[in-house]
């Protein structure tokens, strides 16, 4: 079973989806630790309720980002994790950190990348009158939200959608695609080779897509 650490800043609903998937019979991965950058992260209690070890690397107690990243890296290495899933982690990691964990670091972003890197993705998709929106699980590279995408969850934007309504539907989709991506990596079907994704032994030309119109 592939040991996975999940790194959070907030509520941790994606962390919980990953952890619950890991606890199902036949899962190819297990969550060995949940790490937060602040004591107040609500997801810590959710992890403890699932009997998952937690730790906090309090960002505010480090003089700069580099020293925080060194402490976070040490915590993650100590966990024994071989895959690290950023799930609502609200910090930008230094290039040194990202390169150290290259090929072992995933993130989920609430847009159909490469569209809408950064913040306010739901409002931006609405403002652009896009027909579809969704979320992407990608390998992390030094370019923010720019690493190769493994899987996307895609849904239709409905007439009258608000950013909040869209956010809720995208979230439900995230809870499906993030555990799925972890399974694909853990089973070896998805592999990182020198900056590119291989799927079942061949280069992945485009992200895997799960289409869904899950209700909020
Ligand atoms: C998700 O929308 C994710 O795409 C983004 O942060 C949010 C985290 O939500 N990176 P949660 O903490 O997993 O509930």
């Amino acid at each position: 079973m592939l040991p996975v650490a999940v790194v959070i800043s907030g509520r941790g609903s994606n962390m919980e989806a990953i952890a619950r998937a890991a606890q199902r019979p036949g899962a190819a991965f297990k969550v060995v630790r949940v790490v937060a950058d602040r004591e107040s992260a609500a997801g810590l209690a959710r992890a403890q309720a699932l009997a998952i070890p937690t730790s906090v690397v309090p960002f505010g107690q480090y003089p700069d980002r580099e020293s925080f990243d060194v402490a976070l890296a040490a915590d993650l290495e100590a966990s024994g994790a071989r895959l690290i899933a950023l799930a609502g982690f609200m910090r930008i990691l230094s290039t040194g950190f990202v390169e150290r964990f290259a090929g072992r670091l995933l993130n989920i972003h609430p847009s159909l990348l490469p569209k809408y890197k950064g913040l306010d993705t739901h409002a931006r998709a609405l403002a652009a009158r896009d027909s579809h929106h969704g979320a992407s699980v990608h390998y992390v590279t030094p370019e923010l939200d720019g690493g190769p995408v493994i899987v996307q969850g895609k849904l239709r934007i409905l007439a009258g959608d608000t950013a909040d309504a869209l956010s809720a539907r995208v979230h439900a989709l995230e809870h499906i695609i993030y555990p799925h991506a972890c399974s694909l990596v853990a089973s070896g079907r998805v592999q990182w080779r020198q900056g590119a994704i291989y799927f079942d032994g061949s280069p992945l030309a485009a992200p895997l897509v799960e289409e869904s119109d899950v209700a909020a």
Side-chain angles (χ1 to χ4, degrees), residues 10-15 87-88 108-110 171 174:
R11 65 191 151 176
S13 71
N14 278 287
M15 175 281 297
I108 188 157
H109 182 74
H171 237 95
E174 291 183 1

Tab-separated table of all heavy atoms in Angstrom, residues 10-15 87-88 108-110 171 174, ligand 1:
chain	number	residue	atom	x	y	z
A	10	GLY	N	-7.249	24.052	5.615
A	10	GLY	CA	-8.606	24.408	6.011
A	10	GLY	C	-9.476	23.245	6.390
A	10	GLY	O	-9.090	22.365	7.163
A	11	ARG	N	-10.644	23.208	5.743
A	11	ARG	CA	-11.687	22.276	6.211
A	11	ARG	C	-11.362	20.818	5.948
A	11	ARG	O	-11.845	19.926	6.627
A	11	ARG	CB	-13.034	22.645	5.612
A	11	ARG	CG	-13.087	22.488	4.126
A	11	ARG	CD	-14.321	23.111	3.525
A	11	ARG	NE	-13.983	23.541	2.174
A	11	ARG	CZ	-14.836	24.060	1.325
A	11	ARG	NH1	-16.079	24.241	1.677
A	11	ARG	NH2	-14.444	24.408	0.128
A	12	GLY	N	-10.621	20.544	4.887
A	12	GLY	CA	-10.155	19.174	4.694
A	12	GLY	C	-11.169	18.204	4.128
A	12	GLY	O	-11.077	16.995	4.363
A	13	SER	N	-12.104	18.699	3.326
A	13	SER	CA	-13.079	17.747	2.771
A	13	SER	C	-12.437	16.841	1.725
A	13	SER	O	-12.805	15.659	1.620
A	13	SER	CB	-14.296	18.471	2.197
A	13	SER	OG	-13.988	19.156	1.017
A	14	ASN	N	-11.484	17.352	0.974
A	14	ASN	CA	-10.774	16.470	0.029
A	14	ASN	C	-9.914	15.465	0.777
A	14	ASN	O	-9.824	14.298	0.384
A	14	ASN	CB	-9.924	17.292	-0.937
A	14	ASN	CG	-10.747	17.836	-2.082
A	14	ASN	OD1	-11.144	17.096	-2.973
A	14	ASN	ND2	-11.034	19.130	-2.039
A	15	MET	N	-9.266	15.918	1.833
A	15	MET	CA	-8.491	14.995	2.673
A	15	MET	C	-9.384	13.856	3.149
A	15	MET	O	-9.009	12.680	3.094
A	15	MET	CB	-7.903	15.776	3.865
A	15	MET	CG	-7.166	14.949	4.888
A	15	MET	SD	-8.232	14.055	6.048
A	15	MET	CE	-9.056	15.423	6.866
A	87	ALA	N	-4.139	19.407	-0.404
A	87	ALA	CA	-5.605	19.437	-0.505
A	87	ALA	C	-6.126	20.665	0.234
A	87	ALA	O	-6.348	20.629	1.440
A	87	ALA	CB	-6.197	18.155	0.080
A	88	GLY	N	-6.254	21.755	-0.514
A	88	GLY	CA	-6.652	23.003	0.120
A	88	GLY	C	-5.525	23.568	0.962
A	88	GLY	O	-5.756	24.181	1.999
A	108	ILE	N	-4.805	19.597	-6.036
A	108	ILE	CA	-6.096	19.713	-6.719
A	108	ILE	C	-6.427	21.193	-6.855
A	108	ILE	O	-6.241	21.974	-5.926
A	108	ILE	CB	-7.220	18.947	-5.988
A	108	ILE	CG1	-8.481	18.946	-6.856
A	108	ILE	CG2	-7.489	19.490	-4.595
A	108	ILE	CD1	-9.442	17.821	-6.543
A	109	HIS	N	-6.879	21.532	-8.056
A	109	HIS	CA	-7.181	22.936	-8.352
A	109	HIS	C	-8.589	23.017	-8.939
A	109	HIS	O	-8.928	22.232	-9.821
A	109	HIS	CB	-6.149	23.491	-9.348
A	109	HIS	CG	-6.375	24.939	-9.645
A	109	HIS	ND1	-6.063	25.933	-8.743
A	109	HIS	CD2	-6.905	25.565	-10.725
A	109	HIS	CE1	-6.400	27.111	-9.266
A	109	HIS	NE2	-6.914	26.910	-10.464
A	110	PRO	N	-9.380	23.998	-8.474
A	110	PRO	CA	-10.784	24.032	-8.903
A	110	PRO	C	-11.006	24.728	-10.246
A	110	PRO	O	-11.704	25.743	-10.330
A	110	PRO	CB	-11.467	24.777	-7.746
A	110	PRO	CG	-10.415	25.676	-7.208
A	110	PRO	CD	-9.101	24.961	-7.396
A	171	HIS	N	-16.843	20.928	-5.893
A	171	HIS	CA	-16.317	20.250	-4.705
A	171	HIS	C	-16.714	18.778	-4.680
A	171	HIS	O	-15.913	17.908	-4.364
A	171	HIS	CB	-16.836	20.946	-3.442
A	171	HIS	CG	-15.737	21.418	-2.564
A	171	HIS	ND1	-15.255	22.705	-2.610
A	171	HIS	CD2	-15.001	20.764	-1.645
A	171	HIS	CE1	-14.269	22.812	-1.739
A	171	HIS	NE2	-14.087	21.657	-1.136
A	174	GLU	N	-14.574	17.022	-6.963
A	174	GLU	CA	-13.209	16.883	-6.426
A	174	GLU	C	-13.104	15.641	-5.546
A	174	GLU	O	-12.090	14.936	-5.562
A	174	GLU	CB	-12.837	18.121	-5.594
A	174	GLU	CG	-12.668	19.374	-6.422
A	174	GLU	CD	-12.235	20.572	-5.594
A	174	GLU	OE1	-12.045	20.446	-4.371
A	174	GLU	OE2	-12.078	21.646	-6.191
B	1	LIG	C1	-10.739	22.866	-2.993
B	1	LIG	O1	-11.673	23.589	-3.719
B	1	LIG	C2	-9.480	22.690	-3.792
B	1	LIG	O2	-9.715	22.623	-5.164
B	1	LIG	C3	-8.707	23.925	-3.469
B	1	LIG	O3	-8.996	24.193	-2.114
B	1	LIG	C4	-10.256	23.630	-1.770
B	1	LIG	C5	-10.042	22.753	-0.583
B	1	LIG	O4	-11.231	22.328	0.008
B	1	LIG	N1	-7.318	23.722	-3.741
B	1	LIG	P1	-11.191	21.301	1.226
B	1	LIG	O5	-10.340	21.899	2.320
B	1	LIG	O6	-10.630	20.016	0.703
B	1	LIG	O7	-12.619	21.157	1.652
